[in-house]
Amino acid sequence: MPHFALRAACALSLILLVGCGGATATVEAPAAARYDVLTGDLDAALAGTWRADDRARDAARHPRETLTFFGVTPDMTVVECWPGGGWYTRILAPLLRDHGQLISGGLPVDDERRGQYERDFRAMVAAHPELYDQVRLATLHPGDFLTDIPDGSVDAVLTFRSVHNWIRSEGHDPNDYFRAAARVLRPGGVLGVVQHRAPEGTPAAEDPNTGYVTEARVIALAEAAGLVLDARSEVNANARDDHDHPEGVWSLPPVRRGEGMTDQERDAIGESDRMTLRFRKPLGAPRGDEADTAQGGA
């Protein structure tokens, strides 16, 4: 294991102004505060001061166990799909910064419905180069499904609570997202999925509108893209969640949307019940463009 160097924070400058009537000290308006960042270490990433507001969710989201289950290591090339507010990015970016590569497969900044998520995410990235200067920005959306990422070049593709949006977005084919993941993965590479879980047998027309999706549906989408289910984990399961709430998963923490539930009821359940699935691209699979040729494509 190589030694991972501690990166010193940039010092903020102070300007001392001396007036005619006496000395007064003023502080120049600083840029965004910088953090001391120990790269390449999962424990250090989880403990980073930049995650002070995030750690309240660790007990529900189990990032250490989840990333370990997906097999993420500091030397990997990883695509994070639709990072949203960057909760997992704030772990993955320092973990992969110096010895691997994090690629954000985000939304177009001009997307009518969700572009603000991407604009806010990019503002966060720009504000803290000591964390995010090696993050590569890509797009995962109709018209640009990771098109600038070479076939078979990625070790892992990760998606956290996004599959329901891929399914329910009008005019979007959820298969395209899974095909894009399969195309960029190297043979043997991993697709890691964390998703709000509907009880098996939930009608397909109902589940994504509540945020919940059945495991069977996610597995079918991944298998249709040529991936195989490698393992399941119950690390993000929540037996207190009965999957029946006025606003679906958004009734629960951290969103707490709508009426029909008290804060005590929401807190008693916690965050949603979630599946955690690991898929692999078969070792003998073509590397993407080869797959098109094998199927008779141009």
Side-chain angles (χ1 to χ4, degrees), residues 187-234:
V190 165
L191 169 64
V193 177
V194 176
Q195 172 59 38
H196 312 289
R197 175 168 52 190
E200 291 304 321
T202 301
E206 296 179 11
D207 55 2
N209 295 314
T210 64
Y212 293 104
V213 182
T214 63
E215 284 194 14
R217 192 169 190 185
V218 174
I219 292 169
L221 286 164
E223 289 180 342
L227 304 173
V228 296
L229 180 64
D230 187 51
R232 290 178 168 98
S233 172
E234 291 298 296

Side-chain angles (χ1 to χ4, degrees), residues 53 56-57 60-61 87 161 196 249-257 266-267 270-272 274:
D53 295 333
R57 304 260 63 86
R61 298 184 175 180
W87 195 91
R161 306 175 311 281
H196 312 289
V249 299
W250 300 282
S251 292
L252 301 178
V255 178
R256 300 171 177 271
R257 180 188 299 170
R266 300 178 207 265
D267 290 338
E271 295 198 20
S272 65
R274 292 164 188 167

Side-chain angles (χ1 to χ4, degrees), residues 155-206:
D155 297 300
V157 176
L158 308 179
T159 173
F160 303 100
R161 306 175 311 281
S162 292
V163 172
H164 61 283
N165 285 316
W166 299 350
I167 292 173
R168 71 183 185 140
S169 295
E170 186 175 350
H172 299 174
D173 184 351
N175 288 283
D176 290 335
Y177 295 90
F178 285 85
R179 291 183 191 124
R183 178 185 62 80
V184 301
L185 281 173
R186 63 171 177 77
V190 165
L191 169 64
V193 177
V194 176
Q195 172 59 38
H196 312 289
R197 175 168 52 190
E200 291 304 321
T202 301
E206 296 179 11

